[in-house]
Amino acid sequence: MGLPSKARIVEVGPRDGLQNESGPVIETSIKVELINRLAQAGINHIEAASFVSPKWVPQMGDAAQVMAGITRKAGVAYAALTPNMRGAEGAIVARADEVAIFSAASESFTRKNINCSIAESIERFIPVVEAAKKNNVRIRGYVSTVLGCPYEGEIDPAQVAAVARELLDMGCYEISLGDTIGVGTPVKARKMLARVANEVPVNQLAAHFHDTYGQALANLYAVMQDGVSVIDTSVAGLGGCPYAKGASGNVATEDVVYMLNGLGIETGIDLDKLVPIGNWITQQIGRTNGSKVGLAMACGE
Ligand SMILES: CC(C)(COP(=O)([O-])OP(=O)([O-])OC[C@H]1O[C@@H](n2cnc3c(N)ncnc32)[C@H](O)[C@@H]1OP(=O)([O-])[O-])[C@@H](O)C(=O)NCCC(=O)NCCSC(=O)C[C@@](C)(O)CC(=O)[O-]
């Protein structure tokens, strides 16, 4: 199929990146500034918040305030993660442009993450989808653990395909395939994608790869050759997953944009504006910058 000429970056740093931070809850104003700056750097799809239980994920407890605080830039979609109807109501009131529903290919991970089975999670999403449609809010779907599960190990691509298909049939316009613990390798990623693509058109699939084992860029390059052109990333490689011990952050936005620039694939993102954002947010939250490009370019600042 060959590489695409354009790619859409879905920046998940403000949500996936920050949700796992231990220590004090990050100030709302920092989250708001992060989102605003990412939009100014040319990112037009930002997962800004998560309307989940603050008992489960304390860092996302100020989702409504974050959504109310951002300066909306025309042409930017501000998305929110919603596990259930309560979350969907919050996201709709907060004027999210998109809600993201999330399940997994592994029963054990689903149980740890949202305290139900995969089938129950799909049931829970039915009213979420109805409410979103009624309010003209787009629905994105996630399938986690597509290349391995922290509790079950190997995952059958057929199981990934089945859950992805269910989310598509419910009304998701796009399904993001999460290598939650970053254990995938390129050939494995391509095989998984090929199986899922039997059920969901590849132009409705996104890659959401964590970089725990340093394989994320290689895996992305592999699946892009098979038609994937939507990539979830996190500035400075922020993140992890509270229910996947040891998982490191998403692939860093800076590293992906640098690679795509080198391949001549357009993203509309200004890398010179993006790099200082990664350095700034990591300083704010007392973390090391997980982007190699961010570190390298900062040396020249
Ligand atoms: C789904 C539940 C709520 C079930 O949680 P539960 O304990 O089974 O359900 P519950 O209905 O008994 O709710 C527990 C408490 O939370 C409240 N509650 C209930 N819902 C909400 C809500 N929406 N917003 C705010 N509060 C809520 C509810 O009112 C109650 O409060 P209490 O009565 O005890 O005072 C919980 O398990 C949960 O919130 N889980 C979220 C976990 C999460 O956010 N995980 C990270 C995101 S997934 C991810 O990162 C992977 C991804 C997407 O990036 C892709 C990848 O990398 O693979």
Side-chain angles (χ1 to χ4, degrees):
M1 188 174 276
L3 293 169
S5 57
K6 281 186 183 172
R8 172 158 50 88
I9 298 293
V10 180
E11 168 65 48
V12 297
R15 193 279 302 171
D16 207 352
L18 299 183
Q19 71 183 7
N20 196 38
E21 283 304 309
S22 51
V25 173
I26 299 160
E27 282 172 36
T28 305
S29 59
I30 294 177
K31 294 171 182 164
V32 167
E33 183 172 345
L34 174 63
I35 296 162
N36 288 343
R37 287 181 68 171
L38 290 165
Q40 290 306 328
I43 296 179
N44 58 22
H45 196 153
I46 304 176
E47 202 168 75
S50 177
F51 288 82
V52 297
S53 166
K55 288 195 176 138
W56 285 64
V57 184
Q59 285 291 0
M60 296 288 109
D62 58 352
Q65 292 88 326
V66 170
M67 294 298 288
I70 54 182
T71 306
R72 291 180 193 241
K73 186 172 171 234
V76 177
Y78 297 91
L81 203 71
T82 53
N84 55 17
M85 206 39 210
R86 176 150 171 207
E89 280 161 3
I92 289 166
V93 169
R95 296 195 298 118
D97 297 303
E98 172 178 303
V99 294
I101 55 179
F102 54 108
S103 191
S106 137
E107 286 292 352
S108 320
F109 181 83
T110 309
R111 178 69 60 191
K112 293 266 184 198
N113 194 32
I114 46 178
N115 204 20
C116 63
S117 67
I118 297 171
E120 284 163 347
S121 75
I122 301 290
E123 281 294 308
R124 255 185 214 174
F125 296 142
I126 293 171
V128 172
V129 168
E130 276 169 13
K133 280 185 183 161
K134 214 166 104 193
N135 288 277
N136 293 320
V137 173
R138 293 190 309 178
I139 309 131
R140 194 170 195 245
Y142 278 108
V143 185
S144 286
T145 63
V146 301
L147 292 170
C149 168
Y151 313 105
E152 294 180 14
E154 289 290 317
I155 291 293
D156 182 352
Q159 178 63 14
V160 182
V163 180
R165 180 61 194 259
E166 288 216 58
L167 293 174
L168 182 80
D169 289 347
M170 289 180 84
C172 293
Y173 75 93
E174 184 168 282
I175 314 296
S176 176
L177 301 171
D179 182 10
T180 315
I181 51 170
V183 287
T185 45
V187 171
K188 201 172 165 188
R190 283 185 96 164
K191 281 188 182 152
M192 180 277 298
L193 180 75
R195 180 66 187 83
V196 178
N198 286 336
E199 302 290 337
V200 179
V202 76
N203 63 3
Q204 289 183 272
L205 292 171
H208 179 107
F209 294 164
H210 287 252
D211 202 28
T212 316
Y213 287 83
Q215 303 296 300
L217 282 180
N219 293 344
L220 284 174
Y221 186 65
V223 298
M224 285 178 75
Q225 306 204 40
D226 294 331
V228 172
S229 65
V230 182
I231 305 171
D232 297 1
T233 64
S234 177
V235 69
L238 295 175
C241 177
Y243 305 106
K245 210 166 168 239
S248 73
N250 291 90
V251 64
T253 314
E254 300 90 317
D255 297 2
V256 172
V257 172
Y258 181 87
M259 179 177 83
L260 297 183
N261 284 350
L263 292 166
I265 297 173
E266 240 178 81
T267 61
I269 298 170
D270 182 339
L271 192 56
D272 291 326
K273 283 192 181 160
L274 186 61
V275 165
I277 304 173
N279 290 320
W280 166 79
I281 186 65
T282 46
Q283 276 163 18
Q284 293 295 319
I285 64 174
R287 252 199 181 238
T288 25
N289 192 330
S291 163
K292 287 207 172 233
V293 170
L295 292 173
M297 285 180 63
C299 289
E301 272 176 7

